Amino acid sequence: MGKAAVENLRDILGRYGPSVVQTPRMCEMMLRQAGNLPTGEVDALMAAVNANVVTRLITRSGGDRDQLAAALGQQGQITPAAAKWAVDCWADALGSAPQQQGAKTWKEVEAPDEFLREARRPIRLALIGLVLVGATGLVAGALPGVVTGVCIERRQPWALEIQQNSRLSSADNGRILNAREFALYFGVLGGFSGMIGSSLGWMFGGHTRLSPGRVLGAMIGAFLSGADGAFYGMVNGGAIGAFVYSLLATAVGTYVATLMGVLVVLWLIGRLAWLIFLLPIGK
């Protein structure tokens, strides 16, 4: 049996008590920080934790060691020899570790700094992702209004038609926004709804598994869906359409893109091909 493994387990159990196995990440971090155990041994010991074999050893409700080793070999997908070794190490460590008095209040619980940093990392990533995705949705939602305003200034026919259809009132004599007013009005409206929609899509879609790929995918999805929604709503529904379509399209697009992650790059490539070959600028 590995004496080093038993010593490390005994030390961890003595410092944190048997309840440490209820937090597998902390337990694994403690084992790897010891530095004197091979990766294969740490994996075998953690397999026993994840398969609830250690919990059964503590409660003495899982039968003898041979039965637990057989169960670990099946559930943990490790060799019978490694399973027996892991069960024996945990059993000996539990039997010889000093009794740890459990904490009476949560303030008495001491966690290692590395564990606390790891625990905060998903929250930090989620907030960073929220800021990046929300900013992307803001830019995407504002872009159609700003671009249309510039094109109105340049007297482009399609932009002038949108300007005529985007009066401030439903009456035929409703005031028509000039180029700068149009860019500011629809830019702010689309940007605000795009930011809200992309933030909602990220919050509902990004909680599963945070990664740079998901952030990138969410930003691409927020940009494409936000710009499309704002432009479609502006053309077909005026101010209300720009807000509602941008909000819904950005929320749904960001949610789907967050779940897809980097696969959204394929969507971006397809959109670029569509713009290049089907909508040539200047024709």
Side-chain angles (χ1 to χ4, degrees):
M1 187 188 306
K3 292 183 178 180
V6 175
E7 289 291 336
N8 286 334
L9 293 176
R10 187 184 296 119
D11 179 64
I12 294 172
L13 293 169
R15 291 166 60 190
Y16 301 103
S19 61
V20 71
V21 300
Q22 303 300 324
T23 54
R25 287 182 58 193
M26 179 177 176
C27 186
E28 183 176 2
M29 187 179 300
M30 294 294 96
L31 285 171
R32 296 194 187 280
Q33 279 183 344
N36 58 348
L37 294 180
T39 302
E41 292 187 0
V42 175
D43 292 341
L45 294 172
M46 288 308 304
V49 174
N50 295 323
N52 291 325
V53 169
V54 182
T55 301
R56 288 189 236 170
L57 281 171
I58 295 172
T59 59
R60 295 180 175 85
S61 61
D64 58 26
R65 294 189 186 186
D66 291 336
Q67 292 175 330
L68 291 174
L72 176 58
Q74 293 178 353
Q75 297 178 27
Q77 296 181 345
I78 59 178
T79 64
K84 187 177 186 323
W85 176 86
V87 171
D88 288 340
C89 287
W90 274 109
D92 287 352
L94 288 167
S96 59
Q99 294 296 322
Q100 172 72 20
Q101 187 69 27
K104 296 180 180 179
T105 64
W106 65 269
K107 294 182 179 181
E108 298 177 14
V109 177
E110 295 182 3
D113 293 338
E114 293 82 2
F115 180 73
L116 294 176
R117 281 195 294 269
E118 283 295 316
R120 296 188 189 107
R121 186 171 179 271
I123 301 175
R124 202 163 49 240
L125 266 178
L127 291 176
I128 293 173
L130 179 63
V131 172
L132 293 175
V133 174
T136 304
L138 186 149
V139 173
L143 196 59
V146 174
V147 171
T148 304
V150 172
C151 292
I152 291 172
E153 187 77 24
R154 297 179 179 179
R155 312 301 297 174
Q156 294 194 15
W158 67 268
L160 294 175
E161 183 180 353
I162 295 176
Q163 181 189 31
Q164 291 294 327
N165 295 331
S166 301
R167 300 174 182 269
L168 290 181
S169 67
S170 58
D172 292 338
N173 59 351
R175 191 169 78 84
I176 298 177
L177 298 172
N178 61 40
R180 291 187 179 180
E181 291 173 339
F182 189 97
L184 180 62
Y185 184 74
F186 281 94
V188 171
L189 193 65
F192 180 68
S193 60
M195 180 180 65
I196 295 176
S198 60
S199 299
L200 290 173
W202 169 253
M203 286 189 291
F204 282 101
H207 68 87
T208 52
R209 182 178 298 172
L210 300 173
S211 66
R214 290 186 183 274
V215 175
L216 176 62
M219 291 174 66
I220 294 174
F223 186 83
L224 295 178
S225 59
D228 281 350
F231 184 77
Y232 183 84
M234 181 178 64
V235 171
N236 294 279
I240 296 177
F243 181 85
V244 174
Y245 279 101
S246 177
L247 178 66
L248 294 178
T250 312
V252 174
T254 304
Y255 175 79
V256 174
T258 303
L259 298 180
M260 293 175 63
V262 294
L263 294 178
V264 180
V265 174
L266 298 177
W267 183 20
L268 177 61
I269 294 174
R271 280 301 300 271
L272 290 176
W274 182 72
L275 291 173
I276 292 172
F277 295 109
L278 296 183
L279 292 177
I281 299 177
K283 292 187 179 181

